[in-house]
Protein backbone atom coordinates (compact mmCIF):
# COMPACT_ATOMS: atom_id res chain seq x y z
CA UNK A 1 0.00 0.00 0.00
CA UNK A 2 2.86 2.37 0.86
CA UNK A 3 4.60 1.61 -2.43
CA UNK A 4 1.38 2.33 -4.34
CA UNK A 5 1.04 5.73 -2.65
CA UNK A 6 4.65 6.57 -3.52
CA UNK A 7 4.16 5.64 -7.18
CA UNK A 8 0.95 7.69 -7.34
CA UNK A 9 2.71 10.71 -5.86
CA UNK A 10 5.60 10.38 -8.33
CA UNK A 11 3.17 10.06 -11.25
CA UNK A 12 1.11 13.06 -10.06
CA UNK A 13 4.21 15.22 -9.61
CA UNK A 14 5.60 14.26 -13.01
CA UNK A 15 2.27 15.15 -14.63
CA UNK A 16 1.89 18.48 -12.79
CA UNK A 17 5.47 19.68 -13.20
CA UNK A 18 5.94 18.21 -16.66
CA UNK A 19 2.71 19.85 -17.88
CA UNK A 20 3.63 23.26 -16.42
CA UNK A 21 5.41 24.21 -19.66
CA UNK A 22 2.26 23.28 -21.58
CA UNK A 23 0.12 25.53 -19.35
CA UNK A 24 2.66 28.36 -19.67
CA UNK A 25 2.46 28.18 -23.46
CA UNK A 26 -1.35 28.38 -23.32
CA UNK A 27 -1.35 31.15 -20.71
CA UNK A 28 0.93 33.34 -22.83
CA UNK A 29 -1.96 33.63 -25.28
CA UNK A 30 -3.62 35.99 -22.80
CA UNK A 31 -0.98 37.28 -20.39
CA UNK A 32 2.48 38.81 -20.70
CA UNK A 33 5.29 36.76 -19.09
CA UNK A 34 5.35 39.00 -15.98
CA UNK A 35 1.57 38.87 -15.58
CA UNK A 36 1.50 35.09 -15.99
CA UNK A 37 4.25 34.44 -13.45
CA UNK A 38 2.74 36.86 -10.92
CA UNK A 39 -0.64 35.11 -11.19
CA UNK A 40 1.07 31.72 -10.89
CA UNK A 41 2.96 32.72 -7.75
CA UNK A 42 0.01 34.40 -6.04
CA UNK A 43 -2.20 31.35 -6.66
CA UNK A 44 0.55 29.01 -5.49
CA UNK A 45 1.15 31.09 -2.36
CA UNK A 46 -2.57 31.18 -1.55
CA UNK A 47 -2.76 27.38 -1.89
CA UNK A 48 0.23 26.82 0.40
CA UNK A 49 -0.97 29.33 3.01
CA UNK A 50 -4.31 27.52 3.07
CA UNK A 51 -2.52 24.19 3.57
CA UNK A 52 -0.54 25.75 6.43
CA UNK A 53 -3.77 26.89 8.08
CA UNK A 54 -5.27 23.42 7.71
CA UNK A 55 -2.19 21.87 9.32
CA UNK A 56 -1.85 24.66 11.90
CA UNK A 57 1.68 25.39 10.74
CA UNK A 58 3.10 28.87 11.42
CA UNK A 59 5.24 30.79 8.95
CA UNK A 60 8.97 30.82 9.78
CA UNK A 61 10.36 33.47 12.13
CA UNK A 62 13.66 35.31 12.38
CA UNK A 63 15.45 37.73 10.04
CA UNK A 64 18.12 35.26 9.05
CA UNK A 65 15.54 32.64 8.07
CA UNK A 66 13.60 35.14 5.97
CA UNK A 67 16.85 36.27 4.38
CA UNK A 68 17.57 32.72 3.25
CA UNK A 69 13.97 32.41 2.08
CA UNK A 70 14.37 35.58 -0.01
CA UNK A 71 17.40 34.12 -1.81
CA UNK A 72 15.54 30.85 -2.41
CA UNK A 73 12.40 32.68 -3.57
CA UNK A 74 14.38 34.66 -6.11
CA UNK A 75 16.46 31.83 -7.58
CA UNK A 76 13.95 28.98 -7.23
CA UNK A 77 10.72 30.79 -8.12
CA UNK A 78 10.73 34.39 -9.33
CA UNK A 79 13.74 34.32 -11.67
CA UNK A 80 13.40 30.84 -13.27
CA UNK A 81 9.60 31.08 -13.59
CA UNK A 82 10.01 34.39 -15.43
CA UNK A 83 12.87 33.11 -17.59
CA UNK A 84 10.85 30.07 -18.65
CA UNK A 85 7.83 32.27 -19.47
CA UNK A 86 10.00 34.63 -21.53
CA UNK A 87 11.72 31.68 -23.21
CA UNK A 88 8.45 30.06 -24.21
CA UNK A 89 7.46 33.10 -26.25
CA UNK A 90 9.88 31.73 -28.88
CA UNK A 91 10.64 28.13 -27.79
CA UNK A 92 8.30 25.11 -27.92
CA UNK A 93 7.01 23.83 -24.58
CA UNK A 94 8.49 20.38 -25.23
CA UNK A 95 11.98 21.79 -25.81
CA UNK A 96 11.61 23.87 -22.64
CA UNK A 97 10.97 20.70 -20.66
CA UNK A 98 14.03 19.06 -22.19
CA UNK A 99 16.23 22.03 -21.25
CA UNK A 100 14.78 21.94 -17.72
CA UNK A 101 16.03 18.36 -17.39
CA UNK A 102 19.61 19.74 -17.27
CA UNK A 103 18.97 21.01 -13.72
CA UNK A 104 20.81 18.08 -12.01
CA UNK A 105 23.90 18.93 -14.07
CA UNK A 106 23.84 22.51 -12.75
CA UNK A 107 23.41 21.12 -9.23
CA UNK A 108 26.56 19.09 -9.78
CA UNK A 109 28.45 22.25 -10.76
CA UNK A 110 27.03 24.44 -7.99
CA UNK A 111 27.48 22.03 -5.08
CA UNK A 112 31.33 22.06 -4.95
CA UNK A 113 31.36 25.85 -5.33
CA UNK A 114 29.19 26.19 -2.21
CA UNK A 115 31.12 23.59 -0.23
CA UNK A 116 28.22 21.16 0.05
CA UNK A 117 29.60 18.25 -1.92
CA UNK A 118 32.54 15.91 -1.88
CA UNK A 119 35.12 15.96 -4.63
CA UNK A 120 34.12 15.24 -8.21
CA UNK A 121 34.45 11.57 -9.12
CA UNK A 122 35.36 10.30 -12.56
CA UNK A 123 31.81 9.04 -13.12
CA UNK A 124 30.30 12.41 -12.24
CA UNK A 125 32.71 14.25 -14.52
CA UNK A 126 31.80 11.83 -17.31
CA UNK A 127 28.10 12.44 -16.66
CA UNK A 128 28.64 16.19 -16.77
CA UNK A 129 30.51 15.98 -20.08
CA UNK A 130 27.87 13.68 -21.58
CA UNK A 131 25.07 15.98 -20.40
CA UNK A 132 26.72 19.08 -21.84
CA UNK A 133 27.19 17.15 -25.09
CA UNK A 134 23.44 16.50 -25.12
CA UNK A 135 22.76 20.23 -24.67
CA UNK A 136 25.07 20.95 -27.60
CA UNK A 137 23.22 18.38 -29.70
CA UNK A 138 19.85 20.00 -28.91
CA UNK A 139 21.04 23.53 -29.72
CA UNK A 140 22.97 22.44 -32.86
CA UNK A 141 24.83 25.76 -33.23
CA UNK A 142 26.48 24.42 -36.39
CA UNK A 143 23.10 24.54 -38.17
CA UNK A 144 21.41 27.71 -39.34
CA UNK A 145 18.09 26.28 -38.13
CA UNK A 146 19.43 25.32 -34.70
CA UNK A 147 17.62 26.15 -31.48
CA UNK A 148 20.27 28.60 -30.27
CA UNK A 149 18.30 31.76 -29.46
CA UNK A 150 17.70 34.19 -26.61
CA UNK A 151 14.59 32.25 -25.65
CA UNK A 152 16.44 28.93 -25.46
CA UNK A 153 19.29 30.53 -23.52
CA UNK A 154 16.72 31.98 -21.09
CA UNK A 155 15.34 28.46 -20.48
CA UNK A 156 18.85 27.12 -19.94
CA UNK A 157 19.59 29.97 -17.50
CA UNK A 158 16.38 29.09 -15.63
CA UNK A 159 17.57 25.49 -15.23
CA UNK A 160 20.92 26.79 -13.93
CA UNK A 161 19.04 28.99 -11.45
CA UNK A 162 17.15 25.91 -10.23
CA UNK A 163 20.47 24.12 -9.77
CA UNK A 164 21.86 26.89 -7.55
CA UNK A 165 18.59 27.13 -5.60
CA UNK A 166 18.48 23.40 -4.81
CA UNK A 167 22.00 23.51 -3.38
CA UNK A 168 21.30 26.70 -1.43
CA UNK A 169 18.08 25.32 0.05
CA UNK A 170 19.79 22.10 1.02
CA UNK A 171 22.49 24.06 2.84
CA UNK A 172 20.44 26.76 4.57
CA UNK A 173 16.77 25.69 4.67
CA UNK A 174 16.87 21.98 5.44
CA UNK A 175 16.76 20.75 9.02
CA UNK A 176 15.55 24.06 10.42
CA UNK A 177 12.66 22.51 12.35
CA UNK A 178 10.05 24.59 10.50
CA UNK A 179 7.16 22.94 8.70
CA UNK A 180 8.04 22.24 5.03
CA UNK A 181 4.65 23.69 4.06
CA UNK A 182 5.43 26.87 6.02
CA UNK A 183 8.84 27.21 4.35
CA UNK A 184 7.28 26.74 0.90
CA UNK A 185 4.50 29.24 1.69
CA UNK A 186 6.92 31.89 2.93
CA UNK A 187 9.13 31.35 -0.09
CA UNK A 188 6.19 31.70 -2.48
CA UNK A 189 4.96 34.88 -0.75
CA UNK A 190 8.37 36.50 -1.14
CA UNK A 191 8.57 35.41 -4.78
CA UNK A 192 5.20 37.07 -5.40
CA UNK A 193 6.66 40.27 -3.95
CA UNK A 194 9.62 40.08 -6.35
CA UNK A 195 7.22 39.84 -9.29
CA UNK A 196 5.26 42.86 -8.08
CA UNK A 197 8.52 44.80 -8.39
CA UNK A 198 8.85 43.53 -11.97
CA UNK A 199 5.41 44.82 -13.04
CA UNK A 200 6.89 47.81 -14.94
CA UNK A 201 8.53 45.26 -17.29
CA UNK A 202 5.36 44.39 -19.22
CA UNK A 203 3.12 43.81 -16.25
CA UNK A 204 0.67 46.55 -17.25
CA UNK A 205 0.08 45.32 -20.81
CA UNK A 206 -3.60 45.06 -21.81
CA UNK A 207 -5.21 41.67 -21.12
CA UNK A 208 -7.79 40.23 -23.49
CA UNK A 209 -9.71 37.71 -21.42
CA UNK A 210 -10.00 34.25 -22.94
CA UNK A 211 -11.33 31.12 -21.26
CA UNK A 212 -8.57 28.70 -22.35
CA UNK A 213 -5.54 30.72 -21.22
CA UNK A 214 -7.33 31.74 -18.01
CA UNK A 215 -8.00 28.11 -17.08
CA UNK A 216 -4.41 27.24 -17.98
CA UNK A 217 -3.05 29.82 -15.53
CA UNK A 218 -5.41 28.59 -12.81
CA UNK A 219 -4.18 25.01 -13.26
CA UNK A 220 -0.59 26.26 -13.40
CA UNK A 221 -0.89 28.25 -10.15
CA UNK A 222 -3.11 25.99 -8.07
CA UNK A 223 -1.91 22.61 -9.33
CA UNK A 224 1.58 22.81 -10.86
CA UNK A 225 2.79 25.31 -8.25
CA UNK A 226 0.82 25.15 -4.99
CA UNK A 227 -0.36 21.53 -4.77
CA UNK A 228 2.79 20.23 -6.50
CA UNK A 229 5.06 21.91 -3.93
CA UNK A 230 3.04 20.40 -1.09
CA UNK A 231 3.07 16.96 -2.75
CA UNK A 232 6.82 17.17 -3.28
CA UNK A 233 7.43 17.85 0.41
CA UNK A 234 5.18 14.91 1.33
CA UNK A 235 7.25 12.66 -0.94
CA UNK A 236 10.50 13.95 0.56
CA UNK A 237 9.22 13.37 4.09
CA UNK A 238 7.94 9.84 3.44
CA UNK A 239 10.44 8.42 0.93
CA UNK A 240 13.46 10.73 0.90
CA UNK A 241 15.34 12.55 -1.86
CA UNK A 242 16.07 9.44 -3.93
CA UNK A 243 12.41 8.78 -4.69
CA UNK A 244 11.75 12.49 -5.26
CA UNK A 245 14.62 12.72 -7.76
CA UNK A 246 12.94 10.12 -9.99
CA UNK A 247 10.37 12.77 -10.95
CA UNK A 248 13.02 14.81 -12.76
CA UNK A 249 13.60 11.99 -15.25
CA UNK A 250 9.93 11.97 -16.25
CA UNK A 251 9.38 15.74 -16.78
CA UNK A 252 10.84 16.05 -20.31
CA UNK A 253 8.85 13.01 -21.46
CA UNK A 254 5.59 14.61 -20.27
CA UNK A 255 6.38 18.04 -21.72
CA UNK A 256 7.46 16.67 -25.10
CA UNK A 257 4.41 14.42 -25.45
CA UNK A 258 1.94 17.19 -24.47
CA UNK A 259 3.53 19.67 -26.86
CA UNK A 260 3.49 17.22 -29.73
CA UNK A 261 -0.04 15.92 -29.11
CA UNK A 262 -1.94 19.11 -28.25
CA UNK A 263 0.13 22.03 -29.59
CA UNK A 264 1.30 20.47 -32.85
CA UNK A 265 4.97 21.05 -31.97
CA UNK A 266 7.43 19.33 -34.27
CA UNK A 267 9.77 16.86 -32.70
CA UNK A 268 13.05 16.42 -34.57
CA UNK A 269 15.12 13.28 -34.26
CA UNK A 270 18.14 15.38 -33.23
CA UNK A 271 16.21 16.84 -30.26
CA UNK A 272 15.05 13.36 -29.17
CA UNK A 273 18.65 12.13 -29.38
CA UNK A 274 19.81 15.15 -27.38
CA UNK A 275 17.21 14.48 -24.70
CA UNK A 276 18.35 10.86 -24.40
CA UNK A 277 21.99 11.97 -24.11
CA UNK A 278 21.14 14.59 -21.46
CA UNK A 279 19.18 12.07 -19.38
CA UNK A 280 22.02 9.58 -19.79
CA UNK A 281 24.47 12.15 -18.46
CA UNK A 282 22.18 12.91 -15.53
CA UNK A 283 21.88 9.17 -14.79
CA UNK A 284 25.68 8.89 -14.68
CA UNK A 285 25.89 11.68 -12.10
CA UNK A 286 23.36 9.84 -9.93
CA UNK A 287 25.23 6.52 -9.79
CA UNK A 288 26.11 5.61 -6.20
CA UNK A 289 29.74 5.49 -5.18
CA UNK A 290 31.32 2.09 -5.15
CA UNK A 291 32.22 0.91 -1.69
CA UNK A 292 35.26 -1.37 -1.72
CA UNK A 293 34.56 -4.85 -0.44
CA UNK A 294 36.05 -5.59 2.96
CA UNK A 295 39.29 -7.54 2.87
CA UNK A 296 38.89 -10.82 4.74
CA UNK A 297 41.19 -11.11 7.72
CA UNK A 298 42.77 -14.48 8.26
CA UNK A 299 43.00 -15.44 11.88
CA UNK A 300 45.73 -17.91 12.66
CA UNK A 301 44.64 -20.61 15.08
CA UNK A 302 46.96 -21.09 18.02
CA UNK A 303 49.16 -24.16 17.77
Amino acid sequence: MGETKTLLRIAALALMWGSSFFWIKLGLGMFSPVQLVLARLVLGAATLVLLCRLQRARLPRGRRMWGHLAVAAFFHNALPFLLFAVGETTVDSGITGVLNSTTPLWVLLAAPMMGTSSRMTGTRVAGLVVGLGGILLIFAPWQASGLLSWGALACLAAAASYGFAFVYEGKYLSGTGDSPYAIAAGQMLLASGFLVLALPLGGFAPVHVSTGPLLAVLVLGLGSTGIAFALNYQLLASEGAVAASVVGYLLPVVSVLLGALFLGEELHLRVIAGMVVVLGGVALTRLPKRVPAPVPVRIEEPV
Side-chain angles (χ1 to χ4, degrees), residues 23-161:
W23 303 122
I24 290 172
K25 179 67 75 173
L26 292 180
L28 288 172
M30 174 178 167
F31 297 99
S32 70
V34 172
Q35 292 169 342
L36 184 146
V37 176
L38 178 58
R40 174 185 186 178
L41 288 171
V42 169
L43 289 169
T47 303
L48 287 164
V49 168
L50 178 60
L51 288 173
C52 284
R53 292 292 299 272
L54 293 175
Q55 296 208 350
R56 298 180 181 178
R58 294 182 178 180
L59 291 177
R61 298 180 179 180
R63 292 184 178 180
R64 174 171 291 191
M65 183 63 176
W66 281 97
H68 290 317
L69 282 174
V71 175
F74 183 79
F75 287 101
H76 196 170
N77 303 114
L79 180 62
F81 285 6
L82 187 57
L83 286 173
F84 276 128
V86 170
E88 282 204 53
T89 59
T90 58
V91 178
D92 288 346
S93 64
I95 302 301
T96 305
V98 173
L99 295 177
N100 179 68
S101 68
T102 64
T103 295
L105 303 178
W106 299 113
V107 171
L108 188 64
L109 285 175
M113 296 178 185
M114 297 182 65
T116 61
S117 174
S118 57
R119 63 183 181 85
M120 295 278 282
T121 64
T123 304
R124 289 183 173 180
V125 172
L128 185 60
V129 172
V130 170
L132 293 177
I135 296 173
L136 192 65
L137 185 60
I138 293 170
F139 278 145
W142 57 85
Q143 292 186 1
S145 59
L147 291 173
L148 190 59
S149 65
W150 286 113
L153 291 176
C155 295
L156 199 61
S161 184

